[in-house]
Amino acid sequence: MFVDNSLAAQAAYSSVLSAARMAQLNRSPADLPGGFASKLIHGKRYHYYQRKGPAGLEQIYVGPDDEATRALIAAAHNETAVANQAHLRKLANAAAALGCYTVAPKHFRVLKRLADHGVFSAGALVVGTHAFLAYQNVLGVLWGDPGQTVDLDFAHAGRNLSLAVAPDARVDAHSAIESLQMGFVPVNSGTRYVKPDEPDFDLDWLTSRTRTGDAPVDCRALNVTLQPLRFMELALEAPIPAALLGSTSAIVVNLPAPAAYAVGKLLVAAERTGDSRSKTKKDIAQAAALIDYFVQRDPDTIVEMVASTRARGPAWRKALDVGLDALHRTWPRVGESLAAATEQRQ
C-alpha cells in the first residue's frame, strides 16, 4: 500500500525539517503576527508593538521616537531570521520538486497563520487526513491511494495537557482564524469553523473525552472550544514534530505518533454511526496503509501499540476488535500480516 520515496526526497525532507525548526527558534518580532505602530501624544511621537489578542488589539510600549527606539525597531528585523526563512523557502521548493508531499495552498495558508500565532507551540496537533498525508514525508514513502481532504482537524489535550510546553502558555487561535479574513464562522459552540461558500472546508477542534461526556470544552490555552471524542487521547500521547511543506515555505507542527494514528483509526472506525459511517472506509484504508508500513519496516512498534491499546480496558478492546475485524475484511493481506507479526512476538 506504499512505495518508498526517493533517497533524494527523503534527504530533502530531513533538511527542511531541520531548517524549519531552526527558523522557529530564530524568530524575531518581524515574523510575528503583528507590527510596529506609532502614536502622537501631546505633540510627541511614541512607538508600540501591536497585535490582535483575545481582548482585541493589544499594544506593547516600545519607546519614544528617538534614535535608540528607531534602532531597536530596525534591529527587530533580525537578519539571521530573514536569512533562515529564505533558506527554508529554497529547501522547501527543492523538496517539493523531488516529490515530497506539499499541502494545498489554501490549507497551508490557514496552517501557517496558526503556526505564526504559536498554536502548535502551545500544544495543538494536526490530526485527521492531513496528518496521514504528512506521514509520507515523515516515513519517506508515498501512499498508493493517498486520498483527498478538504477540511482541517486539530486536537489539543485541553486540561490534560502533558506536552513539554509552559503551563501558562496562551495563544489566540480564534483571532488567528479571524485575521485570515477567509469567511470562517464558528458553529457547534465554537468547536468547528465553517466557510459558507465552501461547505466542506471546515476547521474542527477536538480533544479526548473524559467523565464530563460530550459537552464542548473551553480551551484557555488556545482561546477555542474543543469537541471531546472517545479514544482521542491515543493520538495526543507522545506526539512528534513534523514539517508541513507549502508551495513557498514550511512550518513545524505536531502530529500523532504514526503507530498511534493507525490504531486510533481502527478505534474511530468502530465508533462510526449514522451518516459518519461513510467515512469508515477511509479510516480503515489509512490504518491499513500505516500498519502495512510498520509490519514491513518496524513490526515491534505496531504490535506493541496494539497490545498496549488492548490493555487499556474493556471498551478499548471491544472497539479495537471491531476495527481489526474490518481491517481483515477490507484489507485481508494487511490483517493477516499483522496477525502473523503479533504471533511471532508472543
Side-chain angles (χ1 to χ4, degrees), residues 296-320:
Q296 295 189 46
R297 301 293 167 78
D298 187 8
D300 286 346
T301 294
I302 193 63
V303 169
E304 290 171 7
M305 181 58 65
V306 171
S308 64
T309 302
R310 188 176 295 281
R312 289 174 180 252
W316 292 79
R317 287 194 293 273
K318 181 179 178 181
L320 180 60

Side-chain angles (χ1 to χ4, degrees), residues 229-245:
L229 293 180
R230 290 185 74 191
F231 310 125
M232 178 56 71
E233 56 262 45
L234 193 65
L236 293 168
E237 295 172 1
I240 63 169
L244 294 186
L245 279 65

Side-chain angles (χ1 to χ4, degrees), residues 73-132:
I73 293 173
H77 295 270
N78 186 296
E79 292 184 4
T80 299
V82 172
N84 285 341
Q85 288 293 337
H87 180 57
L88 178 58
R89 284 193 292 272
K90 290 181 181 179
L91 291 177
N93 289 336
L98 288 167
C100 288
Y101 164 72
T102 60
V103 179
K106 66 179 180 180
H107 295 171
F108 189 77
R109 181 183 172 193
V110 175
L111 290 160
K112 188 175 188 307
R113 184 60 56 88
L114 292 173
D116 287 343
H117 277 69
V119 169
F120 303 112
S121 297
L125 282 73
V126 174
V127 296
T129 299
H130 275 87
F132 174 72

Side-chain angles (χ1 to χ4, degrees), residues 241-255:
L244 294 186
L245 279 65
S247 58
T248 58
S249 189
I251 57 171
V252 178
V253 302
N254 304 307
L255 300 180

Side-chain angles (χ1 to χ4, degrees), residues 93-283:
N93 289 336
L98 288 167
C100 288
Y101 164 72
T102 60
V103 179
K106 66 179 180 180
H107 295 171
F108 189 77
R109 181 183 172 193
V110 175
L111 290 160
K112 188 175 188 307
R113 184 60 56 88
L114 292 173
D116 287 343
H117 277 69
V119 169
F120 303 112
S121 297
L125 282 73
V126 174
V127 296
T129 299
H130 275 87
F132 174 72
L133 296 173
Y135 291 140
Q136 294 177 105
N137 294 339
V138 174
L139 302 176
V141 301
L142 297 171
W143 302 130
D145 181 14
Q148 300 294 325
T149 185
V150 291
D151 56 4
L152 281 163
D153 297 329
F154 305 97
H156 190 273
R159 302 186 186 98
N160 301 313
L161 184 64
S162 58
L163 296 175
V165 298
D168 59 347
R170 297 286 186 272
V171 299
D172 193 353
H174 175 74
S175 291
I177 294 168
E178 283 193 330
S179 71
L180 288 163
Q181 297 184 339
M182 293 175 67
F184 285 108
V185 178
V187 298
N188 295 359
S189 301
T191 63
R192 171 175 293 175
Y193 288 75
V194 301
K195 273 181 106 275
D197 59 335
E198 293 185 74
D200 294 324
F201 189 6
D202 299 338
L203 312 181
D204 287 305
W205 297 88
L206 311 170
T207 193
S208 56
R209 190 171 183 260
T210 63
R211 295 177 181 177
T212 59
D214 297 328
V217 176
D218 289 331
C219 180
R220 293 181 58 198
L222 301 182
N223 192 33
V224 292
T225 307
L226 309 173
Q227 178 60 53
L229 293 180
R230 290 185 74 191
F231 310 125
M232 178 56 71
E233 56 262 45
L234 193 65
L236 293 168
E237 295 172 1
I240 63 169
L244 294 186
L245 279 65
S247 58
T248 58
S249 189
I251 57 171
V252 178
V253 302
N254 304 307
L255 300 180
Y261 182 95
V263 175
K265 280 298 176 180
L266 295 178
L267 301 173
V268 168
E271 289 285 290
R272 297 285 190 193
T273 59
D275 294 339
S276 68
R277 285 182 177 174
S278 61
K279 298 181 179 180
T280 299
K281 183 178 180 181
K282 182 178 74 172
D283 293 332

Side-chain angles (χ1 to χ4, degrees), residues 36-76:
F36 292 99
S38 62
K39 291 182 181 180
L40 275 175
I41 303 176
H42 302 304
K44 294 184 178 180
R45 188 171 297 278
Y46 300 88
H47 293 276
Y48 296 79
Y49 188 84
Q50 65 182 25
R51 54 169 287 180
K52 192 173 183 181
L57 192 64
E58 299 173 346
Q59 292 188 327
I60 302 171
Y61 178 64
V62 177
D65 185 34
D66 57 19
E67 185 176 345
T69 300
R70 289 192 293 270
L72 180 65
I73 293 173

